[in-house]
Amino acid sequence: MTEQHAPQEPTPPGAQTPSVEPVETPTHPVTLFTGQWADLPFEEVARLAAEWGYDGLEIAASGDHLDLKRADEDDAYLRSRLETLDRHGLSVYAISNHLTGQAVCDDPIDFRHQAIVRDYTWGDGDAEGVRQRAADDMKRAARVARKLGVDTVVGFTGSKIWPYVAMFPPVPASVIDAGFEDFATRWHPILDVFDDEGVRFAHEVHPSEIAYDYWSSVRTLDAIGHRPAFGFNWDPSHMMWQNIDPVGFIWDFQDRIYHVDCKDTRMRPQNGRAGVLGSHLPWGDPRRGWDFVSTGHGDVPWEDAFRALNAVGYTGPISVEWEDAGMDRLHGGPQALAYIRSLLWKQPATSFDAAFSTQ
């Protein structure tokens, strides 16, 4: 029997008709990168992300979020991470080992690294020992990713030659060549483990790394022999202030975009004082020439970027890496999610001009 409904009254003139938003399947899962939330317990970050509507997490190997050594050696600990995600209806699509990766190639190794790597990586602080233990932890990240059912590890590489970026006092080409060779020598054994585990490394193109802009990214791929295990984490925020086209980067490196982090950059009007190097001014200082801001509040061309990612066939997660010195993160976390979702519309099944055909 068909249920009968009373006829609806017509809408009075001038009244607003309630709008009903169509429910569409998102084109990409949207995740929260936990690195900027590592001061909070993993349980709390998962709870917040779930309440806000995130699909999952990009889990940083920081704080209590993910201890790679424990996860590699203790199945019960590993299960506890997955159980926390399940309890909140979240998934894990990638893990991050940015901080330890920084110590693989850096020279010098100093107080900065001691502050960001785990005690088992720092050890006695001997520089080469730290680099070797950092490399071991990157290998460990590949194994843990596989145990978590994840195929991507995001991170940094460090760089022996970043201190020479100004090229003064003069630096001979042989020193730069040796820096790329050092990177390849240290990362080939790491990538061997990634290959064994069926996991890819997504290097974040970032100042202080071996690949920090367009041409250094080209040379990095050459140095590593274009190994499929090595690709890029597309984060446009660091490209903007270097005058690198973030959308063009997607197209040029389309077969190497293994992960996406969304962080925005606001470029301030040129005033003849503020330069791109930051002047040693703190984040959020209005005298800076640029600043990281919550996604959607800066100058990254997000719509063009997402269209380009779809055009090159990227189907992975879109991860919010939230940073903004002028905004509370409990406000920014959900707002960034809403902004990104507004641009991840359903893709058409047919060409838009197919309707013009009369055949």
Side-chain angles (χ1 to χ4, degrees), residues 22-359:
V23 178
E24 296 182 343
T25 302
T27 54
H28 302 272
V30 183
T31 62
L32 180 67
F33 174 48
T34 74
Q36 285 77 13
W37 308 75
D39 58 315
L40 298 180
F42 185 60
E43 181 81 36
E44 176 67 4
V45 176
R47 182 188 69 80
L48 289 170
E51 288 182 359
W52 293 335
Y54 281 90
D55 298 308
L57 300 177
E58 175 193 346
I59 306 176
S62 305
D64 83 329
H65 294 190
L66 185 61
D67 184 320
L68 292 173
K69 193 171 189 296
R70 289 186 65 189
D72 194 30
E73 298 173 356
D74 184 351
D75 290 343
Y77 171 81
L78 192 72
R79 284 196 303 273
S80 74
R81 305 297 90 183
L82 293 171
E83 288 166 359
T84 298
L85 293 170
D86 288 343
R87 193 158 50 247
H88 294 284
L90 299 171
S91 299
V92 54
Y93 295 90
I95 65 173
S96 150
N97 203 17
H98 285 74
L99 302 185
T100 302
Q102 187 68 45
V104 173
C105 291
D106 264 10
D107 188 1
I109 297 289
D110 56 29
F111 65 94
R112 301 167 301 163
H113 302 84
Q114 185 177 14
I116 63 174
V117 301
R118 294 195 182 272
D119 290 342
Y120 64 74
T121 299
W122 182 255
D124 61 4
D126 172 73
E128 185 56 28
V130 172
R131 295 186 193 101
Q132 293 296 332
R133 288 187 290 274
D136 289 341
D137 203 51
M138 290 307 305
K139 298 172 184 177
R140 192 176 285 122
R143 294 194 296 269
V144 170
R146 177 47 54 213
K147 292 177 181 179
L148 289 169
V150 168
D151 65 3
T152 304
V153 174
V154 187
F156 290 149
T157 60
S159 172
K160 184 177 182 178
I161 54 176
W162 176 252
Y164 308 131
V165 67
M167 300 295 280
F168 189 87
V171 179
S174 59
V175 171
I176 304 304
D177 294 342
F180 281 98
E181 291 169 6
D182 178 74
F183 153 73
T185 298
R186 295 182 184 279
W187 276 86
H188 272 306
I190 296 171
L191 296 176
D192 288 343
V193 177
F194 273 73
D195 283 337
D196 291 343
E197 298 295 338
V199 176
R200 305 177 303 181
F201 180 70
H203 167 58
E204 184 169 329
V205 178
H206 183 295
S208 79
E209 312 307 322
I210 194 68
Y212 59 89
D213 63 7
Y214 181 91
W215 291 114
S216 61
S217 295
V218 170
R219 186 160 183 184
T220 295
L221 291 178
D222 288 343
I224 207 70
H226 293 260
R227 291 185 64 159
F230 188 95
F232 297 127
N233 175 51
W234 181 81
D235 179 344
S237 63
H238 307 286
M239 300 181 190
M240 294 296 293
W241 62 269
Q242 295 186 84
N243 293 318
I244 305 300
D245 176 8
V247 179
F249 192 96
I250 292 170
W251 185 257
D252 290 345
F253 296 99
Q254 57 187 271
D255 64 331
R256 296 287 166 156
I257 306 298
Y258 291 172
H259 191 262
V260 167
D261 271 354
C262 289
K263 188 167 71 177
D264 215 333
T265 298
R266 178 184 290 276
M267 306 298 295
R268 295 196 176 94
Q270 294 184 5
N271 60 15
R273 299 186 183 91
V276 298
L277 297 183
S279 306
H280 291 299
L281 295 170
W283 302 116
D285 190 309
R287 293 173 295 172
R288 290 179 58 89
W290 58 275
D291 243 316
F292 296 132
V293 293
S294 189
T295 304
H297 288 269
D299 295 304
V300 173
W302 292 109
E303 180 176 332
D304 287 346
F306 291 152
R307 287 177 181 268
L309 287 167
N310 288 330
V312 303
Y314 178 77
T315 59
I318 305 293
S319 187
V320 171
E321 183 182 2
W322 190 87
E323 288 186 11
D324 192 323
M327 182 186 295
D328 186 275
R329 62 185 175 182
L330 296 182
H331 175 84
Q335 187 186 73
L337 172 64
Y339 177 78
I340 288 171
R341 284 214 191 281
S342 74
L343 297 176
L344 297 181
W345 48 73
K346 188 177 181 180
Q347 298 300 295
T350 60
S351 172
F352 76 91
D353 56 2
F356 302 157
S357 175
T358 59
Q359 301 299 318

